[in-house]
Amino acid sequence: MKLFSAAIVFITLFFTFSVTAQTKKDSLSVAKIDTTATKNIAFKKGKEYILGGISVTGLKKFSEETVRVFTGLRNGQPIKLPGDKLTSAIKKLYESKQFSDVDVYLARIDGNTVYLQFDVLELPQLNNVKITGIKKSKAKELKKDTELKTGAMVTDNLVVTTKNYITKKYTDKGFLKTKVNLDIKKDTSDVNIVNMSIFVDKGKRIKIKDILFTGNKALSARSLRKAMKNTKEKFLGRFWKTSKYIEEDYQEDLESILDKYSRLGYRDARVLSENMTWNNDNTININIDLEEGRQYRFAEIVFVGNKEYTDEQLNIYLKIEKGDVYNGAVLKERVKGDGTPTSQDISTLYQDNGFLFSQVNAVETRVKNDSITVEIRIREDEKARIKKVTVSGNDKTNDHVLFRELRVKPGDLFSRSAIIRSIREIGQLGFFDANVSPDVVPDYQNKTADINFAVVEKGGSQIELQGGYGGGSFIGTLGLSFNNFSIRNIFNKEAYKPLPMGDGQKLSLRLQSSRTYNTYSFSFTEPWLGGKKPKSLSFSVYSSNQYGINRQTFNVDKSQNLNIVGASLGLGQRLKWPDDFFQLSQTISYQALVVKNYSFGLGGVRIDNGTLNNLSYNATISRNSAGPSLIFPTYGSEFSFSAKATLPYSLMNKKDYTGLEPAEKYKWLEYYKFSAKGKWYTSFTDKLVLMSNTEIGYLGTYNSKLGAPPVERYFVGGDGIAQFQLDGRETVGLRGYENNRISSIEGGTIFNKFQLELRYSITDAPSASIYTLGFLEAGNSYDNFSNFNPFELKRSAGLGVRIFMPAFGLLGIDFAHGFDPLPGQTVKSGWQTHFIIGRQF
């Protein structure tokens, strides 16, 4: 329909909404509204009309109906001129990111009915993108990162952000002279489409030659450069941190310099100026001019408002004396905490004892010459109690499994440490993500708090796969481990989804096989026997068959057989003394080793036929405070000491063992065995952790005439994967050497091992946890005390990676270099590759 005279634009007729979305960051701008009526149209501002129709002009590819749908307006609806509905319609058109301009005109008014015309300018669509100046693979990556896809609407914002992104991507890699040119041309093959050409000129990589300081007297330039963690000078041999300039990192390093001054008492230190100069060899110098100011010291430190604790008690946490160099950062950490779960500070002291609403602040009250007086102002308020504790996110795991691990209960005094401990205990269950998010909702009026622990479940079941090569054949393991099993629902058909889960019990089935042996085992663990106290019950049975080999044909001879059948029953209990991280475990186990035409040797003694019985009792006391994650602990430690022993049969039966056949001599095996292990986790950052480990073991005998038994030996070397459940042996990993080759062929009776492992977490997502590691290891195996030398160690070093997936356990690979020769050899072990398949920590 033809518009009224001269097609009067609504800005001069009645109203206009004009928005420039792309050039003004998609914001809506409402222009002048003129309510003056023309000679042909009578218009009343604020009156409600009925929308009779919408026409659209300026279209190239879109249909009028499509635009009408975008506006959200419909014929017959009431509408005010101007009004919110019309403003919203224009906004929706811009938010569709299909139009660069939208204008609204009043076409006509027919009584109480209005007709509108939208005049739009469509954005061009991107057809083809060509990036030159860099490798094709890099160009493909840039297209993906910048979302330059066919059909994308080409806006000014897209052009600017694309250019800035590419420039920054290369300047962050050290190409400080990067230039990016964008050229957009119409494509004549279709309506309103364009092609984009991008030329990238990286130039040469620019490195930092010198970082120069002026104005520094208290700290040397070397010390200041060391404080800059990200921005480094170039020098030959630096590979762990490149000497490139990144603006964000550089600004962060300037703050680090000031923080270093602050920690040394120079609280007024500041950067007067800083600039970059270019050298002829395509490098840059960074020039930083500093003003250090004077060094301050603590004067009086006064506590104000403390009633619950004395000044002396608070000083134990503050650890600052009059005359100490003023350190604002340390003062804040001792008052407010350092952000770690194990922080020892005044605020934590109060919050651990119910003072949820307490406030502790350090205030400088007086500065005289070089001395600063500080007041620690404390508002204790009333103690708060926990009103309600809930859990969420546990779709498979029953609530009681979580509640029994929590250290916070309704009615308890509020305790920050108890909440942190609860997070750790949830992580140690193994079937929740370690990043538990407790939501504390305080109620100041009633002095209470509600706490909700939001968890993210990960797989509670695992398929265990292990693989390796040893004994002349491939060794494979297949097992099913259900770590969140529910045995009470085993006969409940509705609980099989696909298995009855949710009660935190552990059930595993395992098969291990090679050309010369096979092993079957079943185990079950109930961590809370009776459901009320943390007393665990474990039970396992297993059977193992080892076959002989024909020395001439090297074929397996199943008529030569060593069969081991065993069972064990264990009870565990958490202790409250010395603290509640301790646990006592006791196990009774029995093995029957049936030898049939099989040469089973110890030293020069062979046992060809007979049955050996191994009835033993094992007690282990352990302490585990590591956490919060079971896969990647960042703090705490793990210690264990175990003693395993049989009855001293030879001392009780007064039998003369001289001249007895070996089968009769070892009919009832006797020994005692001690082992100790300790791990410490030291966190440098939340992703970088040092794990230190020490292990030692000793196998002894009651009767020197019998000697050490032919079972329970230590086999050291290799990946540490237990190859088979034969004779109760313990496999001790020592990377950089072949499996079990550090020990003698019968196994050692003494071993020691020392380990340092630096771990870096790449991701801790519930679907997969990945970390890299570098390690130093040393250890050895000894046949007896006569050749025991704790300083004669086999050393190794290497790198590795670990991937933990809930369904498969821990997978990994290590590249290790053994610096010493194997026993009986003169050439060092050299490089070895070890594959870790299966859940091992």
Side-chain angles (χ1 to χ4, degrees):
M1 180 178 178
K2 186 177 180 181
L3 299 178
F4 286 103
S5 301
I8 303 174
V9 181
F10 212 74
I11 190 171
T12 59
L13 181 60
F14 299 112
F15 64 92
T16 297
F17 297 94
S18 180
V19 184
T20 306
Q22 305 304 329
T23 59
K24 296 185 179 181
K25 300 181 181 179
D26 296 333
S27 63
L28 183 62
S29 175
V30 181
K32 172 183 176 183
I33 299 175
D34 191 342
T35 60
T36 303
T38 67
K39 63 181 179 179
N40 295 318
I41 301 176
F43 173 76
K44 188 174 182 180
K45 180 182 177 182
K47 179 181 177 180
E48 191 170 81
Y49 292 88
I50 300 299
L51 181 61
I54 297 175
S55 60
V56 186
T57 59
L59 295 174
K60 295 181 179 180
K61 299 193 70 172
F62 290 102
S63 65
E64 285 193 56
E65 182 59 32
T66 299
V67 177
R68 292 190 191 102
V69 171
F70 280 146
T71 65
L73 300 174
R74 66 183 187 280
N75 291 345
Q77 77 175 94
I79 187 171
K80 290 182 180 181
L81 302 179
D84 293 341
K85 292 180 180 178
L86 189 57
T87 302
S88 175
I90 298 171
K91 187 175 181 180
K92 287 178 180 178
L93 288 175
Y94 282 112
E95 288 178 345
S96 70
K97 297 183 179 180
Q98 306 293 333
F99 308 99
S100 60
D101 280 302
V102 177
D103 289 316
V104 182
Y105 298 85
L106 180 61
R108 67 187 177 92
I109 298 178
D110 187 2
N112 202 39
T113 304
V114 295
Y115 296 85
L116 301 178
Q117 177 177 305
F118 282 77
D119 188 15
V120 299
L121 180 62
E122 294 180 8
L123 288 166
Q125 287 184 322
L126 186 62
N127 181 36
N128 182 52
V129 178
K130 184 178 181 181
I131 302 178
T132 58
I134 56 176
K135 294 180 180 179
K136 290 183 178 180
S137 59
K138 297 296 182 181
K140 185 177 180 180
E141 182 182 324
L142 283 178
K143 287 181 183 179
K144 182 179 179 181
D145 292 344
T146 53
E147 298 183 353
L148 296 176
K149 301 176 182 178
T150 300
M153 309 308 291
V154 180
T155 66
D156 291 340
N157 184 58
L158 178 67
V159 172
V160 172
T161 55
T162 298
K163 185 173 182 179
N164 290 343
Y165 176 84
I166 296 174
T167 302
K168 186 177 186 303
K169 186 177 182 67
Y170 283 100
T171 54
D172 283 354
K173 292 181 178 180
F175 298 95
L176 300 185
K177 294 184 177 181
T178 298
K179 295 179 181 179
V180 180
N181 295 318
L182 264 81
D183 186 28
I184 299 174
K185 293 183 179 179
K186 291 184 178 180
D187 190 324
T188 57
S189 63
D190 202 350
V191 179
N192 203 33
I193 64 172
V194 295
N195 296 323
M196 182 183 292
S197 297
I198 303 174
F199 176 72
V200 181
D201 181 9
K202 298 186 302 182
K204 293 183 179 181
R205 193 186 298 272
I206 309 299
K207 293 190 176 184
I208 302 169
K209 184 176 183 180
D210 292 309
I211 301 176
L212 305 172
F213 295 93
T214 55
N216 57 305
K217 297 178 181 178
L219 292 176
S220 66
R222 180 180 180 182
S223 179
L224 293 173
R225 293 187 195 103
K226 189 176 180 180
M228 302 175 74
K229 303 298 182 183
N230 305 302
T231 312
K232 299 292 185 181
E233 294 177 333
K234 74 167 188 175
F235 70 82
L236 186 65
R238 182 192 295 280
F239 61 88
W240 59 92
K241 177 69 72 172
T242 56
S243 57
K244 59 186 178 182
Y245 177 87
I246 301 175
E247 178 65 24
E248 292 86 350
D249 291 346
Y250 171 63
Q251 294 299 327
E252 182 181 321
D253 284 338
L254 290 180
E255 293 297 324
S256 297
I257 289 173
L258 297 181
D259 180 70
K260 188 176 184 68
Y261 270 110
S262 176
R263 289 179 178 271
L264 294 174
Y266 295 90
R267 62 192 285 273
D268 298 332
R270 62 192 179 116
V271 177
L272 293 177
S273 64
E274 41 89 17
N275 60 69
M276 181 192 306
T277 57
W278 292 82
N279 300 312
N280 294 330
D281 59 352
N282 212 37
T283 61
I284 60 171
N285 295 334
I286 295 176
N287 307 292
I288 302 172
D289 186 22
L290 298 168
E291 182 180 79
E292 294 180 332
R294 66 168 65 186
Q295 186 183 45
Y296 291 89
R297 295 184 177 274
F298 284 102
E300 298 293 333
I301 301 177
V302 182
F303 293 97
V304 179
N306 53 308
K307 298 177 182 178
E308 183 76 10
Y309 302 102
T310 65
D311 291 2
E312 290 75 15
Q313 289 173 313
L314 296 178
N315 268 319
I316 293 174
Y317 290 84
L318 193 62
K319 301 175 185 175
I320 297 174
E321 300 293 338
K322 181 180 180 180
D324 289 350
V325 171
Y326 185 84
N327 189 326
V330 169
L331 176 63
K332 183 179 179 181
E333 291 171 1
R334 304 277 169 80
V335 171
K336 294 287 189 180
D338 58 14
T340 65
T342 56
S343 178
Q344 298 289 320
D345 58 89
I346 296 175
S347 294
T348 297
L349 172 67
Y350 273 96
Q351 291 191 5
D352 279 351
N353 291 278
F355 293 96
L356 170 62
F357 302 106
S358 64
Q359 293 183 5
V360 185
N361 296 294
V363 180
E364 297 178 3
T365 58
R366 184 182 181 188
V367 179
K368 184 178 181 181
N369 297 326
D370 63 349
S371 299
I372 300 176
T373 300
V374 175
E375 277 189 6
I376 310 297
R377 296 176 180 175
I378 301 170
R379 186 173 70 85
E380 293 181 344
D381 213 306
E382 297 179 31
K383 291 187 177 183
R385 291 192 176 271
I386 298 170
K387 181 179 178 182
K388 184 170 62 175
V389 179
T390 56
V391 294
S392 60
N394 53 315
D395 299 327
K396 296 179 181 179
T397 307
N398 295 321
D399 286 354
H400 73 269
V401 175
L402 280 163
F403 281 128
R404 69 194 185 189
E405 299 295 340
L406 300 181
R407 300 305 173 97
V408 290
K409 309 290 182 186
D412 290 351
L413 284 174
F414 181 86
S415 172
R416 175 180 178 271
S417 293
I419 295 174
I420 293 173
R421 178 67 184 275
S422 298
I423 295 172
R424 185 255 177 198
E425 296 301 325
I426 292 173
Q428 291 295 300
L429 288 173
F431 33 87
F432 293 105
D433 180 27
N435 297 319
V436 180
S437 302
D439 183 19
V440 179
V441 182
D443 181 350
Y444 181 80
Q445 183 175 358
N446 297 308
K447 296 298 185 289
T448 61
D450 295 338
I451 304 175
N452 177 68
F453 290 88
V455 299
V456 177
E457 284 187 314
K458 56 185 182 182
S461 302
Q462 292 180 349
I463 299 174
E464 181 187 5
L465 295 172
Q466 289 188 5
Y469 188 86
S473 65
F474 178 79
I475 302 164
T477 301
L478 172 63
L480 297 175
S481 297
F482 309 109
N483 296 322
N484 193 7
F485 195 70
S486 175
I487 198 168
R488 65 187 174 94
N489 289 318
I490 198 167
F491 297 111
N492 182 2
K493 293 182 180 180
E494 297 180 357
Y496 282 77
K497 298 178 182 180
L499 290 167
M501 308 293 286
D503 281 343
Q505 298 157 347
K506 296 182 180 180
L507 184 147
S508 66
L509 302 168
R510 197 163 181 262
L511 165 65
Q512 194 171 62
S513 182
S514 76
R515 193 168 69 96
T516 58
Y517 75 90
N518 56 64
T519 299
Y520 309 90
S521 67
F522 166 83
S523 65
F524 172 78
T525 300
E526 165 58 73
W528 283 68
L529 186 61
K532 295 183 179 181
K533 293 184 179 181
K535 295 183 177 181
S536 63
L537 171 68
S538 60
F539 172 74
S540 67
V541 292
Y542 56 87
S543 174
S544 176
N545 285 285
Q546 176 80 14
Y547 304 109
I549 296 178
N550 188 304
R551 299 299 180 184
Q552 296 179 344
T553 63
F554 294 100
N555 293 327
V556 175
D557 185 356
K558 291 192 175 182
S559 66
Q560 302 178 29
N561 176 254
L562 170 62
N563 175 239
I564 302 177
V565 178
S568 66
L569 179 67
L571 291 173
Q573 179 178 356
R574 294 185 192 174
L575 304 178
K576 295 183 179 180
W577 185 89
D579 61 38
D580 59 359
F581 285 111
F582 279 86
Q583 179 163 324
L584 174 64
S585 302
Q586 302 177 80
T587 305
I588 295 177
S589 61
Y590 171 77
Q591 282 183 334
L593 296 86
V594 182
V595 185
K596 183 180 179 181
N597 300 322
Y598 188 92
S599 295
F600 182 62
L602 171 65
V605 180
R606 316 300 299 182
I607 302 173
D608 295 320
N609 288 280
T611 299
L612 284 65
N613 299 278
N614 184 5
L615 177 63
S616 64
Y617 166 79
N618 182 48
T620 300
I621 186 166
S622 59
R623 185 182 188 275
N624 183 358
S625 62
S629 170
L630 186 64
I631 312 303
F632 189 82
T634 56
Y635 63 83
S637 59
E638 300 174 46
F639 295 98
S640 67
F641 177 80
S642 64
K644 185 176 183 181
T646 65
L647 291 172
Y649 303 106
S650 64
L651 302 182
M652 295 189 303
N653 58 25
K654 299 181 181 180
K655 183 185 293 186
D656 184 4
Y657 285 86
T658 304
L660 285 180
E661 290 294 326
E664 180 65 23
K665 186 176 182 180
Y666 296 107
K667 183 175 182 179
W668 285 95
L669 295 166
E670 60 176 64
Y671 57 87
Y672 58 88
K673 190 175 186 180
F674 301 107
S675 63
K677 299 178 182 180
K679 288 184 179 180
W680 298 263
Y681 298 95
T682 305
S683 176
F684 300 109
T685 68
D686 58 345
K687 291 182 175 293
L688 187 64
V689 177
L690 177 67
M691 188 276 288
S692 309
N693 178 40
T694 299
E695 301 178 35
I696 189 168
Y698 171 68
L699 175 65
T701 180
Y702 302 111
N703 193 334
S704 60
K705 294 182 179 179
L706 277 174
V711 297
E712 303 288 337
R713 299 291 187 105
Y714 301 110
F715 289 81
V716 180
D719 51 34
I721 296 177
Q723 293 185 358
F724 50 89
Q725 197 168 5
L726 174 71
D727 64 27
R729 67 178 58 194
E730 289 189 34
T731 302
V732 181
L734 190 63
R735 292 164 287 188
Y737 299 90
E738 296 179 33
N739 286 357
N740 306 330
R741 287 292 307 279
I742 293 178
S743 300
S744 60
I745 192 169
E746 287 90 8
T749 61
I750 306 172
F751 89 94
N752 56 2
K753 176 184 174 181
F754 308 96
Q755 178 184 8
L756 289 175
E757 190 169 281
L758 189 63
R759 301 173 175 180
Y760 180 79
S761 174
I762 298 174
T763 176
D764 59 353
S767 57
S769 297
I770 305 173
Y771 66 87
T772 58
L773 57 90
F775 61 87
L776 299 172
E777 288 186 343
N780 210 341
S781 173
Y782 313 92
D783 290 338
N784 48 58
F785 264 121
S786 63
N787 63 8
F788 173 66
N789 184 349
F791 303 105
E792 185 181 329
L793 303 172
K794 305 296 183 182
R795 303 158 300 161
S796 66
L799 302 170
V801 64
R802 296 290 183 271
I803 303 174
F804 179 83
M805 294 184 290
F808 296 98
L810 196 66
L811 312 176
I813 184 171
D814 292 320
F815 302 97
H817 185 82
F819 297 104
D820 300 292
L822 292 168
Q825 298 185 7
T826 57
V827 180
K828 69 177 182 179
S829 178
W831 285 102
Q832 303 282 337
T833 302
H834 304 285
F835 295 94
I836 307 298
I837 306 176
R839 184 172 182 173
Q840 299 185 8
F841 304 106

